[in-house]
């Protein structure tokens, strides 16, 4: 069974990575699909995000990293995937995730959304929290892969030269 794990991944965090690793144990193939979202002003380009995810997942042979735009279900159909994988961190995620799952079901009833509960240690973690901490010079090495932390610091050095 093929599962798509769609998201912005701007940037990938250890929470995403935990979900990816667990997904790779459950499904024959997992495709991390980076969404090109024209409504969000991202910190990293899609190419940079793809590279960050690839570098973080070299140890996972059944993982593919790709990008898409448009409807997730269309992309899933194109890739012959049966499952959309999503993470649930807290009740706050629940409403939007449930709505999206229902909407996707109306678009294609062949595709099921599967939710994995976040591991405890990452239940507070989001890409935005990481960017917020980094903006104020706080430590982020325990929240993202090391090379991603370096990318974030580099990005800040560029936008806030001392
Ligand atoms: P989106 O913009 O689609 O919310 P994200 O990159 O923020 O994209 O998240 C993609 C998916 O990863 C979502 O299902 C989200 O719930 C899940 N996720 C985000 N952070 C974590 C985390 N810390 N642990 C597990 N899952 C997470």
């Amino acid at each position: 069974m093929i599962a798509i794990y769609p998201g912005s991944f701007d940037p990938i965090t250890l929470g995403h990575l935990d979900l990816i690793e667990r997904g790779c144990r459950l499904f024959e193939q997992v495709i991390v699909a980076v969404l090109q979202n024209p409504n969000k002003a991202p910190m990293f380009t899609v190419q940079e995000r793809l590279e960050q995810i690839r570098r973080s997942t070299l140890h996972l042979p059944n993982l593919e990293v790709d990008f898409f735009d448009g409807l997730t279900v269309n992309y899933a159909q194109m890739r012959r995937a049966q499952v959309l994988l999503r993470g649930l961190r807290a009740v706050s995620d629940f409403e939007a995730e449930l709505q999206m799952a229902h909407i996707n079901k109306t678009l294609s009833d062949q595709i099921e959304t599967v939710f994995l509960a976040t591991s405890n240690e990452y239940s507070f973690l989001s890409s935005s929290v990481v960017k917020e901490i980094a903006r104020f010079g706080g430590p982020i090495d325990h929240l993202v892969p090391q090379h991603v932390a370096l990318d974030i610091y580099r990005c800040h050095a560029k936008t806030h030269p001392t």
Side-chain angles (χ1 to χ4, degrees):
M1 204 180 273
I2 301 175
I4 306 277
Y5 181 31
S8 312
F9 304 101
D10 185 41
I12 185 170
T13 68
L14 294 184
H16 292 129
L17 197 54
D18 174 65
L19 210 90
I20 291 169
E21 286 171 346
R22 289 159 60 206
C24 281
R25 286 199 288 272
L26 289 173
F27 301 101
E28 275 150 278
Q29 194 191 6
V30 175
I31 303 170
V32 174
V34 176
L35 173 65
Q36 266 181 314
N37 187 344
N39 299 324
K40 282 187 186 173
M43 177 175 237
F44 296 106
T45 65
V46 169
Q47 280 313 319
E48 286 169 328
R49 283 179 264 162
L50 293 174
E51 182 57 28
Q52 288 166 341
I53 301 168
R54 287 199 180 109
R55 277 189 74 180
S56 316
T57 55
L58 293 173
H59 59 298
L60 300 168
N62 58 337
L63 185 87
E64 188 188 320
V65 185
D66 193 11
F67 68 96
F68 74 107
D69 53 22
L71 294 175
T72 310
V73 288
N74 289 351
Y75 175 75
Q77 272 162 347
M78 202 248 304
R79 298 305 315 263
R80 302 196 187 293
Q82 300 93 328
V83 167
L84 297 179
L85 185 62
R86 296 289 289 177
L88 276 184
R89 281 165 292 193
V91 184
S92 47
D93 278 344
F94 188 77
E95 205 176 322
E97 290 292 341
L98 195 66
Q99 182 184 30
M100 206 151 34
H102 281 307
I103 293 289
N104 283 335
K105 194 78 189 165
T106 66
L107 297 174
S108 166
D109 65 1
Q110 302 299 308
I111 296 172
E112 297 292 344
T113 301
V114 171
F115 295 107
L116 288 185
T118 300
S119 297
N120 259 345
E121 66 262 48
Y122 302 126
S123 58
F124 62 92
L125 182 52
S126 68
S127 301
S128 344
V129 159
V130 171
K131 287 183 275 192
E132 192 74 2
I133 297 172
R135 192 151 72 93
F136 296 109
I140 51 170
D141 308 75
H142 57 306
L143 305 175
V144 292
Q146 206 173 12
H147 57 93
V148 173
L150 289 175
D151 287 346
I152 296 173
Y153 293 135
R154 232 177 271 134
C155 189
H156 273 281
K158 233 189 284 168
T159 45
H160 302 97
T162 46

